[in-house]
Amino acid sequence: MSGLRAIFRGVSRERAHGLPSAWEGLARELPAIRLREMPGPPEDDIPSLSVPVEEWESQNFNFYDLDWRLDSLAERDFGPFAVDILGRPGELPRVAGEILTRCQRWMDRRNEASRSAIFDRVLAEHRDAHDLAKPLVRADYDHALDTWQWTFRLAPDADLAVQLAALFHDVERLASEADARVEHHAADYQVFKNDHAARGAELAEALLAWVGIDAGARERAAHLIAAHEHLPGPGDPDAAALSLLNDADALSFFSLNSGGYLDYFGPEATRRKVAYTLRRLRPEARRYLDGLRLRPTVAAAVAAELEALAA
């Protein structure tokens, strides 16, 4: 049995030396996480959780328990913590990518646009807006952080407006779906989603104005939020940013939320949601789907829809 220790937060941003070539791709993909091979028990006392590969790949793996343990560990004192992935050496590189993608919302990767005191305040106000004692709100909060982190994997230089839009794109749900989801009752799903986006843009812009984000960034963020439930229109000057937001949102659905969606809404609604979400995901971003751990029903729906899109 071997292992990989992935250390989140409070670690040097310098590239780790001596990392075997098998881990180079993952280190480039997730540069805010320090990776260390574990030939034996860890030599430090960083708080950690262990994820055995055999358990992760089991059809009975409890994703909700992992998410709860991860959130509890990450929020205990907001200091460094580790995820230890344990398994046979030959299987670790592939599975580690799946597990760390599930955990990436807590790596707090930033760039020059978000490495600032005012963005710290944005994150604090974003958290305070969510009643994390409510399971659906907790899921939305985790999805928001995860969507934000997906923007960096897709575009490491993502600008401030895109990052703000990623964090607040579903803020409307705090008013309409904090206690129960209602989207499955919509007579027209696209109209429902467009209304959700428009109301969310208004709420987000007001909150960002109160925080002190300049007018240009918050207005662009609001535009992206208002438009994010459909593909960019002809001539939209923010088409590239909107496509980035849509890709990040879609990938977060598949990597983090699709299993919960399946449990809440059932297989038929999930197949429709998968089809809707894949249509918003650009072909070049679909390559990430191969590196995700999907529930069998979701994976089958993805495969069927990709085949239909290719026909």
Side-chain angles (χ1 to χ4, degrees):
M1 183 73 69
S2 185
L4 178 75
R5 166 155 280 205
I7 303 174
F8 290 65
R9 298 197 302 232
V11 296
S12 170
R13 294 182 181 275
E14 296 178 2
R15 184 187 180 98
H17 296 289
L19 198 65
S21 59
W23 300 109
E24 287 292 323
L26 189 60
R28 287 192 300 270
E29 193 75 22
L30 301 170
I33 299 174
R34 173 62 63 86
L35 304 178
R36 291 182 188 165
E37 285 197 308
M38 290 173 54
E43 299 177 356
D44 53 49
D45 58 356
I46 297 174
S48 64
L49 65 85
S50 296
V51 186
V53 169
E54 184 177 6
E55 292 182 14
W56 171 258
E57 295 193 316
S58 166
Q59 294 301 314
N60 298 317
F61 184 77
N62 191 328
F63 293 94
Y64 303 119
D65 179 67
L66 172 64
D67 291 339
W68 179 83
R69 290 190 296 140
L70 178 69
D71 290 343
S72 298
L73 184 63
E75 295 172 328
R76 184 166 63 181
D77 59 10
F78 292 93
F81 67 93
V83 175
D84 296 334
I85 303 166
L86 309 174
R88 291 185 293 273
E91 61 192 3
L92 280 176
R94 173 184 57 82
V95 179
E98 297 176 354
I99 294 172
L100 294 180
T101 292
R102 183 84 187 188
C103 301
Q104 71 178 2
R105 62 188 178 274
W106 286 117
M107 67 182 178
D108 194 29
R109 181 179 180 179
R110 305 209 203 174
N111 63 15
E112 290 303 314
S114 51
R115 202 173 293 124
S116 65
I118 195 167
F119 202 88
D120 290 341
R121 186 178 177 192
V122 166
L123 289 172
E125 295 299 332
H126 177 263
R127 179 181 174 83
D128 286 347
H130 291 75
D131 182 353
L132 299 180
K134 296 184 175 184
L136 293 179
V137 176
R138 174 90 240 186
D140 286 337
Y141 178 69
D142 285 349
H143 169 61
L145 294 181
D146 189 54
T147 301
W148 174 43
Q149 291 302 311
W150 267 114
T151 65
F152 293 121
R153 293 183 67 172
L154 295 162
D157 60 349
D159 66 31
L160 177 61
V162 170
Q163 294 184 53
L164 295 172
L167 284 169
F168 289 95
H169 72 283
D170 279 340
V171 70
E172 184 274 337
R173 284 183 181 163
L174 298 180
S176 68
E177 294 188 296
D179 299 301
R181 298 301 194 213
V182 299
E183 66 177 62
H184 54 303
H185 298 307
D188 186 312
Y189 188 70
Q190 188 64 64
V191 169
F192 172 85
K193 297 299 279 184
N194 289 346
D195 288 345
H196 150 78
R199 293 194 300 271
E202 294 175 0
L203 292 170
E205 185 170 5
L207 192 150
L208 292 172
W210 185 80
V211 170
I213 297 295
D214 71 83
R218 70 173 186 261
E219 288 169 5
R220 275 195 67 225
H223 166 71
L224 295 172
I225 293 169
H228 84 276
E229 291 291 352
H230 53 75
L231 298 176
D236 188 336
D238 258 339
L242 180 57
S243 294
L244 171 58
L245 176 60
N246 278 341
D247 287 346
D249 185 20
L251 287 168
S252 180
F253 167 75
F254 287 116
S255 65
L256 185 62
N257 294 120
S258 57
Y261 194 97
L262 173 64
D263 290 338
Y264 195 95
F265 292 105
E268 184 55 39
T270 298
R271 283 191 286 271
R272 293 194 297 269
K273 179 71 170 182
V274 164
Y276 174 86
T277 306
L278 280 176
R279 288 194 293 269
R280 294 169 54 221
L281 186 62
R282 288 179 292 181
E284 57 266 36
R286 292 174 191 163
R287 67 181 181 89
Y288 286 95
L289 295 173
D290 292 336
L292 305 181
R293 168 77 156 81
L294 301 177
R295 297 264 292 275
T297 299
V298 177
V302 168
E305 184 59 25
L306 289 176
E307 184 177 347
L309 289 171

